[in-house]
């Protein structure tokens, strides 16, 4: 039977997101679960994580790949460290130093500027990023020595705070600071670190970046690369695979009758007279919801004014 669901990888340092997907495919192949041709199991990731970052990388398998777009839009949580005194062209430890400063802030000063970066803010993405400019990746243009002009974009920082530090005084000069952030899609932590340092009258770059949560998935759900490799050696994938619906725990679910489920599978629209009254009258279910049959996912559906339409159907 084909696997459908999520493997949450605790991505190690220096492994790219595409390489992580490749590692899952390799293990599925070795376990005889990947298939061939038109029956080949699809695998995709729910949000790029830089090679120099570690942490939560949701990898979708089978029908769960239809939810990768939703995962890309989900909020993310990070822990990261800013090293003060030098800025690099990549805004992390991989790049070349482009600017230096002798000024070092205090913890009190850091905590004083963080509110400026909470809420809806504007930031300029790093020129070494996967964003496309005239159809080409920004990092490819930057590596080729071209002058890359990144446009300002609006993002949302839901929370930003300093991690606990062992210190004698909040006035002690800091060489680096560890922060926690919860951010919207499209937020670049490297840009956030650069801007925080600038607000403190100095420069800085990211030396450590770890994603602790992506959408509903946290580190407690994640497995190591070694654990992932056990699948290829014969371990039961069910021990590591989260169900497809685990990626939809932020929306309500509603169980349909066999006839209603059949209609949705056929792409038909359900109107109010086809729906149970308790569903139509439920104020929590007015928008996107998970339609199930006997608790098995049927479709990601949308209920608007008593009419249900399929957003994405699942072939389970």
């Amino acid at each position: 039977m084909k696997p459908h669901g999520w493997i949450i990888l605790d991505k190690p340092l220096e492994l790219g997101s595409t390489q992580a997907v490749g590692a899952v495919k390799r293990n599925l192949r070795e376990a005889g679960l990947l298939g061939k041709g038109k029956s080949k199991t699809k695998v995709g990731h729910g949000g790029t994580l830089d090679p120099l970052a570690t942490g939560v990388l949701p990898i979708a398998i089978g029908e769960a790949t239809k939810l990768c777009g939703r995962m890309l839009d989900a909020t993310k949580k990070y822990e990261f460290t800013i090293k003060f005194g030098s800025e690099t062209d990549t805004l992390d430890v991989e790049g070349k130093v482009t600017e230096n400063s002798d000024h070092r802030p205090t913890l009190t000063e850091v905590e004083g500027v963080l509110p400026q970066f909470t809420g809806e803010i504007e930031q300029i993405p790093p020129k070494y990023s996967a964003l496309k400019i005239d159809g080409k990746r920004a990092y490819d243009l930057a590596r080729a020595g071209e002058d890359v002009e990144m446009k300002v974009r609006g993002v949302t920082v839901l929370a930003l705070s300093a991690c606990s530090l062992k210190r004698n005084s909040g006035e002690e000069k800091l060489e680096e600071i560890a922060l926690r952030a919860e951010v919207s899609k499209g937020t670049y932590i490297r840009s956030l670190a650069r801007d925080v340092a600038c607000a403190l009258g100095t420069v800085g770059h990211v030396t450590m970046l770890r994603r602790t949560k992506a959408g509903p998935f946290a580190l407690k759900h994640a497995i190591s690369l070694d654990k992932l490799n056990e699948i290829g050696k014969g371990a039961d994938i069910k021990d590591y695979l989260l169900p497809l619906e685990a990626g939809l725990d932020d929306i309500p679910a509603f169980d349909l009758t066999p006839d209603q489920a059949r209609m949705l599978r056929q792409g038909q629209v359900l109107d109010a007279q086809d729906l149970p009254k308790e569903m139509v009258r439920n104020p929590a279910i007015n928008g996107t919801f998970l339609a199930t049959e006997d608790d098995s996912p049927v479709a990601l559906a949308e209920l608007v004014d008593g009419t249900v339409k399929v957003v994405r159907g699942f072939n389970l």
Side-chain angles (χ1 to χ4, degrees):
M1 183 178 292
K2 285 185 178 182
H4 301 283
W6 302 89
I7 285 181
I8 313 304
L9 183 65
D10 186 349
K11 191 190 81 63
L13 198 65
E14 298 184 349
L15 184 75
S17 299
T18 301
Q19 292 173 307
V21 169
V24 171
K25 287 182 177 179
R26 173 176 54 78
N27 277 279
L28 292 179
R29 186 182 304 110
E30 292 174 354
L33 298 171
L34 189 61
K36 297 180 179 179
K38 292 183 179 180
S39 63
K40 191 173 183 179
T41 300
K42 292 182 179 180
V43 182
H45 65 75
T48 300
L49 200 55
D50 290 342
L52 292 181
T54 65
V56 175
L57 180 63
I59 299 180
I61 298 175
E63 290 295 283
T65 56
K66 295 178 178 179
L67 301 176
C68 282
R70 282 181 57 85
M71 196 55 57
L72 292 173
D73 291 342
T75 60
K76 314 289 192 305
K77 290 185 179 182
Y78 296 92
E79 293 181 356
F80 62 104
T81 300
I82 307 173
K83 181 176 176 59
F84 297 117
S86 60
E87 184 175 309
T88 68
D89 53 3
T90 60
L91 304 182
D92 60 22
V93 295
E94 189 178 41
K96 297 178 181 179
V97 175
T98 57
E99 189 175 351
N100 290 294
S101 172
D102 292 329
H103 179 64
R104 300 294 184 272
T106 65
L107 179 59
T108 299
E109 290 171 335
V110 172
E111 292 177 331
V113 303
L114 294 186
Q116 299 177 28
F117 300 95
T118 304
E120 295 181 2
I121 66 170
E122 291 186 339
Q123 65 173 202
I124 299 175
K127 62 181 180 179
Y128 283 87
S129 65
L131 292 176
K132 287 188 176 182
I133 300 176
D134 296 329
K136 296 183 179 180
R137 298 290 186 186
Y139 55 65
D140 288 332
L141 297 173
R143 288 167 183 163
E146 296 190 29
D147 186 19
V148 181
E149 183 178 352
M150 307 301 293
K151 295 182 179 180
V152 175
R153 63 195 298 177
V155 297
T156 303
V157 178
L158 300 169
L160 181 63
S161 62
C163 297
S164 59
L165 289 173
K166 293 181 179 179
R167 65 186 191 278
N168 295 324
S169 170
E171 303 309 315
E172 181 182 350
K173 297 293 184 179
L174 301 174
E175 291 295 324
E176 60 181 31
I177 184 74
L179 301 177
R180 292 191 184 95
E182 181 177 3
V183 301
S184 69
K185 69 172 183 176
T187 305
Y188 280 90
I189 297 298
R190 287 176 289 154
S191 294
L192 184 61
R194 173 200 60 207
D195 296 344
V196 167
C198 181
L200 290 164
T202 184
V203 293
H205 64 275
V206 172
T207 57
M208 185 281 292
L209 176 60
R210 183 162 175 76
R211 184 191 285 165
T212 58
K213 193 173 184 182
F217 302 121
L219 283 170
K220 66 181 181 180
H221 302 114
I223 63 172
S224 67
L225 194 59
D226 288 341
K227 285 288 186 182
L228 174 65
N229 291 335
E230 291 298 317
I231 296 173
K233 298 175 182 178
D236 191 341
I237 192 173
K238 292 179 181 178
D239 293 337
Y240 307 103
L241 190 69
L242 297 180
L244 177 151
E245 56 267 33
L248 296 170
D249 75 342
D250 60 332
I251 63 173
F254 198 91
D255 212 40
L256 304 179
T257 66
D259 284 343
Q260 292 166 347
R262 174 183 53 78
M263 291 177 68
L264 287 189
R265 289 191 179 99
Q266 293 174 351
Q268 298 181 45
V269 174
L270 300 179
D271 58 32
Q273 66 183 11
D274 299 312
L275 301 172
K277 292 181 180 180
E278 63 269 21
M279 179 179 181
V280 178
R281 294 173 179 172
N282 188 339
I285 307 176
N286 189 25
T288 304
F289 72 100
L290 174 63
T292 63
E293 181 185 9
D294 293 331
D295 295 325
S296 177
V298 172
L300 184 63
E302 187 176 37
L303 171 61
V304 179
D305 297 328
T307 298
V308 172
K309 296 181 180 180
V310 173
V311 178
R312 298 302 299 266
F314 303 122
N315 300 313
L316 299 177

